[in-house]
Amino acid sequence: MALEVLTLIGALAILAAVAVYTLSTGVPPTPTSATVRDAILAVLPADPDGVVYDAGSGFGTFAATLARRYPRHRVVGIEVSPLPWLISRFHTYIAGHINLTFRRADLRTVGFDDAGLVLCYLSGPAVIALKEKLEAEAPPECVVVSNTFAVPGWTAERVVTAPDLYATKVYIYRMATAPAG
Ligand SMILES: C[S@@+](CC[C@H](N)C(=O)[O-])C[C@H]1O[C@@H](n2cnc3c(N)ncnc32)[C@H](O)[C@@H]1O
C-alpha cells in the first residue's frame, strides 16, 4: 500500500513539474510527429554553416534525429523544463551521440552567434523571444526552420505542408532575408 501511494505521489510530482513549466512558457513538450519530422528533413540544408540548435528541445527526440542527420556538426538542444531535459540527457547517454548536447536553459539566455541552423516548434511568447534573439545574434547565413508556427513579421523563403491530418506547415527562413527592416 505504501509503495502504491509513493508511486502515485511520484507520478503526480512528475506531471506537476511538466505542467508548471508548460504554464510558464506557454509551450508543452509535445514532440514533432514522424510525418512532420520527415517533411522537415526533406527541406533541411545539406551543410549548415555553424552549430545546429533545437530551440526548445523537449524530450530530445528531434535533436537526436538532427544529430544523426548532421554527424559532423555540433547539435545543441536547449530546454528549460527539467524533466524533459533530464530524459533527453538519458537518451543521449544510451544512444551515444557524441555530437549532441542538451543545455538546460531558457533560450533567452543562450547565444546564437555561432548558429548555422535553428529548429523550433514554439508559439506565443517563446517564438517571439527566439525571434528577438536571432535578429540580434544569428549570422546572416543562418537558416531557421519553424514547425507549425510562422515567426511573426518574418518572410519565409519557403513554406512546405506536411502530409498529415492537419496539413501542418513548416516555415523555412534565412536570417539575411527573413526579418523586416
Ligand atoms: C513543442 S516542444 C518541441 C520539442 C522538440 N523541439 C520537437 O520538435 O520534438 C517545445 C519545447 O520548448 C520548450 N520551451 C518553451 N519555451 C522555452 C524557453 N524560453 N527556453 C527553453 N525552452 C523552451 C518547452 O518546454 C517544450 O519542451
Side-chain angles (χ1 to χ4, degrees), residues 25 27-32 54-58 61-62 78-81 105-108 121-122 126 147:
T25 62
V27 189
T30 315
T32 293
D54 186 0
S57 48
T61 45
F62 197 75
I78 301 159
E79 176 55 51
V80 73
S81 184
D106 189 308
L107 60 86
R108 285 170 289 200
Y121 183 10
L122 299 169
N147 174 354

Side-chain angles (χ1 to χ4, degrees), residues 67-68 70-75 92-93 95-101:
R68 282 191 293 274
Y70 295 114
R72 287 197 298 275
H73 286 73
R74 196 154 74 84
V75 178
T92 317
Y93 176 71
H97 294 300
I98 52 168
N99 61 331
L100 174 60
T101 51

Side-chain angles (χ1 to χ4, degrees), residues 30-169:
T30 315
T32 293
S33 70
T35 310
V36 176
R37 178 200 62 207
D38 291 346
I40 292 174
L41 288 177
V43 298
L44 289 181
D47 189 14
D49 192 5
V51 176
V52 176
Y53 285 97
D54 186 0
S57 48
F59 295 101
T61 45
F62 197 75
T65 299
L66 292 170
R68 282 191 293 274
R69 169 68 184 260
Y70 295 114
R72 287 197 298 275
H73 286 73
R74 196 154 74 84
V75 178
V76 179
I78 301 159
E79 176 55 51
V80 73
S81 184
L83 191 72
W85 168 79
L86 256 184
I87 291 173
S88 310
R89 297 280 312 259
F90 180 69
H91 281 161
T92 317
Y93 176 71
I94 299 291
H97 294 300
I98 52 168
N99 61 331
L100 174 60
T101 51
F102 288 98
R103 286 187 59 185
R104 192 187 157 235
D106 189 308
L107 60 86
R108 285 170 289 200
T109 67
V110 172
F112 288 96
D113 53 332
D114 57 359
L117 172 64
V118 178
L119 279 294
C120 65
Y121 183 10
L122 299 169
S123 57
V127 75
I128 300 290
L130 179 65
K131 167 189 150 112
E132 288 169 357
K133 284 292 285 180
L134 294 177
E135 285 179 358
E137 297 170 1
E141 61 277 13
C142 176
V143 172
V144 180
V145 178
S146 181
N147 174 354
T148 307
F149 303 100
V151 178
W154 283 11
T155 305
E157 197 175 69
R158 197 172 162 199
V159 181
V160 297
T161 304
D164 63 359
L165 195 60
Y166 312 101
T168 299
K169 296 267 195 294

